[in-house]
Amino acid sequence: MFFQIIDILGTIAFAISGVLVALDKKMDPFGVLIIAFVTAVGGGTLRDVLIGQTPVSWMTNMTYVYVIFAATVFAVVFRNKINYLRKSLFLFDTIGIGLYTVVGIEKGLVAELHPIICIALGTMTACFGGVIRDILCNEIPVIFRKEIYATACILGGLTYFGLRELPILNNWVFVIAGAVVIIVRLIVVRFKISLPSLYKE
Amino acid sequence: MFFQIIDILGTIAFAISGVLVALDKKMDPFGVLIIAFVTAVGGGTLRDVLIGQTPVSWMTNMTYVYVIFAATVFAVVFRNKINYLRKSLFLFDTIGIGLYTVVGIEKGLVAELHPIICIALGTMTACFGGVIRDILCNEIPVIFRKEIYATACILGGLTYFGLRELPILNNWVFVIAGAVVIIVRLIVVRFKISLPSLYKE
Amino acid sequence: MFFQIIDILGTIAFAISGVLVALDKKMDPFGVLIIAFVTAVGGGTLRDVLIGQTPVSWMTNMTYVYVIFAATVFAVVFRNKINYLRKSLFLFDTIGIGLYTVVGIEKGLVAELHPIICIALGTMTACFGGVIRDILCNEIPVIFRKEIYATACILGGLTYFGLRELPILNNWVFVIAGAVVIIVRLIVVRFKISLPSLYKE
């Protein structure tokens, strides 16, 4: 129940971020809806396709469809006022990333994959909706240029597998690893930390 | 037999639309062939991958491969004269979209998915070949900016599930729903109807 | 063992080519790693997804992950000196393409697909990592504009199925077809042969 609420909040934040990019590109209503959808479920869809868990998860759970549709209509109607929600959206988004990372990791474990692959799947779940959104909008994915999410996801993933070695309940491993993703991202954004640049200024 | 002919006409129209875009981008012969192929089978391929029906359908039916290859050669050779065929091509294209929408819906039903997901699969089958074509050609997909197909597909899908509630033979449901897609699209193009704009002029 | 070394050399060459394109686009370290990864394993991943062999192959063989990671770090650190390696890299790349083409063909045979589809799968394995790399970097795939690889792969594929008709050991079919890909590519690049242009100069 608790995780389901987080999941829905994350889905809303992701969908709205898609709507804002699509509006910026002057897309029509159909395009806006598709971009919202892809941003929200794209990462999990790619993960499911790569590990062969099909039909992909949003096809068998109508909650996502309804939530994304409602969030899209909301964001389109109130787009001029959405700036006031920027802080809440950022928080939802960050919490969503934490949850998705751990969910992705656990799907990898169920498929009996190597921990490094599981961390890659977790990062993919959290980050690749945005990558597909940017490709559909004809942009170089923002995450490849100004990394914000991925390092947090990877650190959370390492935490997950570190904790699994300890005598801790699985639920706690889940919560703590997700919390690491969230806290790292909050710190990174708060203090404007970025990966070391590969280029001379 | 009847549906097979429609399927082939639709495939031809889709492939030729791919060739024209690729020639516009000054692609080489290999690129032109790939874009023709992707435009014709991309939507169905994405659908098959997402619902886990693999190998994807064009891999197990050589008809598509031969038809697309022939259509590509034809379109390249006669590209300066293809303008005379524009009306026929538009008609084939529209009929193809009608057929693909219903085929996609029925694949969703076989996989026991929710009606809304089935309609999404139908729309995807009809429209996403063009989306992948545009991404490969480094354009924002035209369908996200000036929507032409998708609304027709969605209306046809709603018709399909409306009719299924009535005591009508399945074959008729198939034909009528496909016809709705075709008629809506013809009307939309004839009267230059578009979705309400989200932007002030 | 012999093939494994070729596979690793090919993976290194592909990953480094990804790094160079990503650095050119001023990506951050995470982006560079992802592009290297996608370039190296993208073709095989697409093939596996389309024929339904999941989890896709790099997820169940950690060698690729380690090799790509090491090649990426190497290429980033020594990027100013990588020009000296250009000839070796081109050779590794070409040998890799030969191997991947035949590996892709044989995966198609295992899935009992038509020879033409098998050749398409082989070409895809060898070439589509570069296609996905270019899409993520917001470029029209170079292979669609100035064809270098694909014809070599297709000729190698035709050789493969020609030889299978003869009383030759399977291993020899594998090696000769791969060698045809390599030799054709070397000749094509050496004598600057390109596909006939579809456009008037």
Side-chain angles (χ1 to χ4, degrees), chain A residues 50 52 138 144 147 198-199, chain C residues 26-28 54 56 79 138:
Chain A
L50 293 183
N138 202 15
F144 296 165
E147 202 273 346
L198 297 172
Y199 313 95
Chain C
K26 301 277 178 216
M27 289 193 182
D28 72 8
T54 50
V56 298
R79 65 189 130 148
N138 202 16

Side-chain angles (χ1 to χ4, degrees), chain C residues 28-188:
Chain C
D28 72 8
F30 179 75
V32 171
L33 182 63
I34 297 294
I35 299 297
F37 212 90
V38 162
T39 311
V41 302
T45 300
L46 181 62
R47 176 202 66 213
D48 288 346
V49 165
L50 293 183
I51 64 177
Q53 200 199 39
T54 50
V56 298
S57 43
W58 59 267
M59 290 195 174
T60 52
N61 182 343
M62 293 304 293
T63 313
Y64 295 113
V65 176
Y66 300 138
V67 167
I68 294 169
F69 192 82
T72 302
V73 171
F74 174 86
V76 168
V77 171
F78 295 104
R79 65 189 130 148
N80 292 321
K81 279 155 194 153
I82 232 155
N83 226 6
Y84 299 115
L85 297 174
R86 216 162 268 277
K87 273 200 179 161
S88 314
L89 283 176
F90 171 71
L91 206 66
F92 292 175
D93 190 73
T94 302
I95 296 173
I97 288 168
L99 178 69
Y100 294 164
T101 304
V102 193
V103 167
I105 288 173
E106 303 209 328
K107 296 244 180 185
L109 282 174
V110 171
E112 303 190 338
L113 297 168
H114 188 282
I116 293 183
I117 302 294
C118 293
I119 296 175
L121 286 172
T123 308
M124 199 184 282
T125 309
C127 302
F128 270 62
V131 170
I132 305 177
R133 174 198 66 208
D134 292 343
I135 294 172
L136 287 176
C137 292
N138 202 16
E139 301 278 351
I140 294 183
V142 66
I143 200 177
F144 295 165
R145 289 173 291 145
K146 302 188 301 173
E147 203 273 348
I148 318 174
Y149 300 2
T151 306
C153 299
I154 294 168
L155 290 176
L158 293 172
T159 307
Y160 186 98
F161 285 99
L163 293 175
R164 261 168 63 97
E165 299 302 308
L166 306 177
I168 299 178
L169 278 180
N170 270 345
N171 274 351
W172 281 105
V173 176
F174 188 102
V175 170
I176 298 174
V180 166
V181 177
I182 294 168
I183 291 165
V184 169
R185 182 160 189 232
L186 290 177
I187 292 174
V188 161

